[in-house]
């Protein structure tokens, strides 16, 4: 699950990581646009931390609401492109199974190739400035798709290159995005901020694919991606007027880049609870990517669904994600933070089996897929909000960028490998057997958090107590 779209960060930090996951998403003019945006942002100085509102709610924080509004629109636009590009590849460019795998791999390859150094670089820079530049690059890259289509020269390799450029910008954006929340709100508001940002992501998932399917039918897939480019421009402007409270990093305190990368990796893999979360999320993302890489081929070619039907499935399914974001605080209060993580992992790992089952019952494929994605989205959101909040809370501020980059390196870095594997398996075995391989693998992904101390913990440790507090946080019998 694209833990992630930081995406989702979990099954999509499923890495499904996604605000908290959430996901993510080049010519000389693109470089100059990014430079101008960064220069404008550099003129800003951090304002003093404003007094909290009397209610303590982020609804009364105009600074957070500015960021939130920009991200709402850009996430909505991202859903259009995520639907339009596969439709373009499959229906207009007649991509093969392997070409679809390569295209999907190019989109997330940057997390494997530059994810680790990106975290160290981001920890040396103002994260908001990085996000502005990334939005500018993504907007220019997407604008090339309709231009090449109008000129009559668009080919599948163009889409692969554009996807790779967008992927690199998304690495920098997403790692900064997951690291900037603590510099925008107070520590006791981090969970609320993550919940609001992830709720927005799910609302975009609901409305975006349905609107995207309609838009593709009206103006064609290549032109539809212009809408996404426009939302990235709006996101960059919102970030320009947002004020963060991140302090400038002292260059004298910087160590060698390899040492800083290692410091981030060491933190992630020496924190016992965090290590288990990364193992489950990474395994789930790998096998979910194997399952879903060929999903456009299955739905559009074998089942004969239209782009509008495909968008409608994803829109209806995303209601589950919105409900999951809304329900997470109540679930955490009911069963505790610690138990929410393995409980959600069990849910999304078992329901993954319904995807290949839908392939065996084509007459009922539509409702079955809606139900499968609905439950998957619900469980992923419970998992992601809880584990991303834990990650942000336990990590020292100076390591936030490197922590998130190290986590993304694992949980998103496996995805290009899985996408290529899906292309090979799809060519060799066929689409449906490849989906079964992915579903069975996802079923096994939950073992790392299910057989763990999480079940005995109601409250998860924070930065001050560390993982050593696990025993102290266990319920009394």
């Amino acid at each position: 699950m694209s833990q992630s779209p930081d995406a989702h960060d979990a099954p999509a930090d499923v890495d499904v990581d996604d605000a908290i996951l959430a996901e993510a998403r080049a010519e000389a003019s693109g470089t100059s646009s990014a430079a101008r945006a960064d220069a404008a942002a550099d003129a800003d100085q951090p304002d003093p931390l404003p007094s909290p509102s009397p209610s303590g709610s982020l609804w009364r924080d105009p600074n957070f609401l500015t960021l939130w509004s920009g991200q709402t629109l850009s996430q909505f636009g991202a859903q259009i492109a995520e639907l339009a590009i596969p439709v373009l590849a499959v229906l207009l460019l007649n991509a093969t199974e392997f070409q679809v795998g390569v295209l999907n791999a190019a989109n997330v390859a940057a997390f494997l190739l530059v994810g680790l150094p990106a975290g160290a670089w981001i920890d040396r820079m103002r994260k908001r400035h990085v996000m502005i530049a990334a939005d500018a690059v993504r907007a220019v890259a997407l604008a090339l798709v309709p231009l090449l289509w109008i000129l009559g020269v668009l080919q599948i390799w163009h889409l692969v290159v554009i996807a790779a450029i967008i992927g690199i910008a998304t690495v920098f954006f997403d790692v900064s995005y997951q690291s900037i929340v603590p510099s925008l709100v107070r520590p006791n508001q981090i969970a609320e901020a993550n919940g609001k940002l992830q709720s927005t992501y799910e609302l975009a998932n609901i409305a975006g694919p349905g609107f995207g399917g309609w838009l593709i039918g009206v103006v064609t897939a290549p032109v539809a991606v212009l809408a996404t480019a426009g939302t990235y421009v709006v996101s960059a402007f919102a970030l320009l007027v947002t004020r963060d409270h991140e302090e400038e990093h002292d260059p004298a305190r910087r160590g060698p880049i390899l040492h800083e990368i290692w410091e981030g990796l060491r933190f992630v893999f020496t924190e016992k609870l965090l290590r288990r979360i990364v193992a489950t999320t990474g395994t789930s993302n790998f096998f979910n990517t194997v399952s879903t890489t060929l999903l456009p081929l299955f739905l559009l070619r074998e089942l004969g669904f239209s782009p509008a039907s495909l968008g409608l499935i994803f829109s209806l399914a995303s209601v589950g994600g919105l409900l999951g974001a809304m329900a997470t605080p109540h679930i955490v209060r009911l069963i505790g933070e610690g138990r929410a993580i393995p409980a959600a992992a069990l849910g999304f790992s078992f329901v993954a089996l319904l995807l290949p089952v839908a392939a065996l019952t084509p007459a009922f494929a539509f409702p079955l897929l809606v139900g499968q994605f609905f439950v998957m989205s619900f469980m992923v959101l419970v998992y992601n909000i809880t584990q991303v909040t834990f990650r942000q809370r336990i990590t020292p501020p100076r390591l936030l960028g490197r922590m998130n980059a190290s986590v993304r390196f694992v949980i998103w870095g496996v995805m290009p490998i899985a996408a290529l594997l899906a292309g090979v398996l799809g060519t060799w075995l066929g689409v449906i057997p490849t989906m079964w391989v992915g579903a069975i693998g996802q079923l096994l992904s939950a073992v790392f958090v299910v057989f763990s101390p999480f079940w005995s913990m109601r409250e998860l440790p924070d930065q001050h107590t560390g993982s050593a507090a696990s025993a102290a946080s266990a319920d009394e019998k």
Side-chain angles (χ1 to χ4, degrees):
M1 294 136 297
S2 158
Q3 276 35 184
S4 316
D6 310 296
H8 304 169
D9 247 30
D13 50 9
V14 209
D15 154 294
V16 160
D17 49 67
D18 340 88
I20 41 184
L21 312 169
E23 335 211 52
R25 305 195 171 35
E27 302 292 322
S29 61
T31 303
S32 61
S33 298
R36 285 195 298 271
D38 198 51
D42 279 333
D44 300 331
Q45 297 298 326
D47 296 332
L49 189 65
S51 300
S53 63
S55 67
S57 172
L58 292 176
W59 289 114
R60 300 188 181 183
D61 184 342
N63 191 55
F64 175 79
L65 293 177
T66 300
L67 172 81
W68 191 15
S69 62
Q71 293 314 299
T72 298
L73 191 58
S74 70
Q75 288 165 355
F76 178 85
Q79 298 303 312
I80 298 174
E82 287 183 11
L83 181 66
I85 290 179
V87 169
L88 171 59
V90 172
L91 296 185
L92 299 184
L93 299 181
N94 297 313
T96 66
E97 288 85 351
F98 183 72
Q99 287 173 332
V100 170
V102 171
L103 177 61
N104 198 15
N107 190 42
V108 290
F111 283 97
L112 178 63
L113 300 178
V114 300
L116 287 177
W121 291 327
I122 287 168
D123 274 340
R124 299 180 175 198
M125 297 182 283
R126 292 279 296 280
K127 297 172 179 62
R128 182 168 59 90
H129 300 180
V130 175
M131 295 165 69
I132 293 168
D135 270 338
V137 170
R138 294 192 291 188
V140 172
L142 278 175
L144 293 174
V145 174
L147 177 60
L148 293 170
W149 176 257
I150 291 171
L151 293 175
V153 297
L154 184 64
Q155 299 179 34
I156 190 68
W157 72 265
H158 291 129
L159 289 185
V160 171
V161 173
I162 290 170
I165 293 171
I166 294 173
I168 293 171
T170 299
V171 167
F172 284 88
F173 187 94
D174 283 1
V175 172
S176 300
Y177 191 24
Q178 287 205 326
S179 306
I180 200 174
V181 170
S183 70
L184 293 174
V185 302
R186 297 187 179 279
N188 63 346
Q189 295 175 313
I190 290 176
E192 181 189 356
N194 283 334
K196 283 178 164 55
L197 291 169
Q198 196 61 46
S199 295
T200 298
Y201 177 80
E202 292 310 316
L203 283 171
N205 280 349
I206 293 170
F211 177 78
W214 171 82
L215 189 63
I216 291 168
V218 172
V219 301
T220 73
V223 180
V225 300
L226 269 182
T228 302
T231 63
Y232 285 143
V233 172
V234 174
S235 171
F237 177 77
L239 286 163
L240 275 170
V241 298
T242 298
R243 295 295 177 266
D244 63 73
H245 314 294
E246 184 179 10
E247 297 181 0
E248 296 286 355
H249 298 279
D250 184 1
R253 299 180 61 185
R254 296 174 182 169
I257 189 74
L258 291 178
H259 173 78
E260 294 192 348
I261 291 172
W262 170 245
E263 192 176 10
L265 283 169
R266 183 176 58 190
F267 177 82
V268 169
F269 289 103
T270 56
E271 284 288 337
K272 295 181 180 179
L273 297 179
L274 185 53
R275 187 170 64 225
R276 288 180 176 273
I277 288 171
V278 170
T280 283
T281 307
T283 305
S284 178
N285 273 354
F286 181 90
F287 286 104
N288 182 69
T289 301
V290 170
S291 293
T292 59
T293 292
L294 303 182
L295 189 61
L297 289 171
F298 172 67
L299 296 179
L300 295 172
R301 286 185 184 171
E302 299 197 23
L303 291 184
F305 286 179
S306 67
S309 298
L310 186 60
L312 183 59
I313 289 175
F314 294 144
S315 293
L316 293 174
S318 294
V319 175
L322 176 62
L323 295 178
M326 296 170 60
T328 297
H330 305 287
I331 293 173
V332 166
R333 282 196 296 270
L334 181 64
I335 66 175
E337 280 184 305
R339 295 167 188 155
I341 290 176
L346 279 173
F348 65 64
S349 63
F350 273 100
V351 78
L353 292 170
L354 293 180
L355 181 59
V357 169
L360 302 178
T361 56
F364 302 99
F366 186 91
L368 195 58
L369 287 171
V370 169
Q372 189 261 342
F373 282 116
F374 181 97
V375 177
M376 175 79 76
S377 297
F378 184 97
M379 294 299 178
V380 165
L381 263 293
V382 174
Y383 178 89
N384 272 343
I385 291 175
T386 307
Q387 63 95 359
V388 171
T389 298
F390 166 62
R391 281 163 42 189
Q392 291 172 338
R393 199 172 63 205
I394 201 174
T395 306
R398 69 182 186 85
L399 285 175
L400 275 170
R402 280 170 284 171
M403 178 277 292
N404 282 319
S406 297
V407 171
R408 286 290 179 98
F409 172 74
V410 177
I411 67 176
W412 286 72
V414 299
M415 293 171 68
I417 301 171
L420 291 175
L421 177 62
V424 172
L425 291 178
T427 302
W428 178 37
L429 300 176
V431 173
I432 296 174
T434 301
M435 290 181 176
W436 277 108
V437 171
I440 294 171
Q442 286 181 79
L443 182 64
L444 300 176
S445 68
V447 299
F448 302 100
V449 293
V450 169
F451 299 100
S452 73
F454 284 111
W455 289 115
S456 63
M457 302 171 65
R458 184 167 186 85
E459 301 296 330
L460 291 171
D462 58 25
Q463 182 182 331
H464 303 290
T465 57
S467 294
S470 301
S473 62
D475 286 344
E476 294 181 2
K477 300 296 183 183

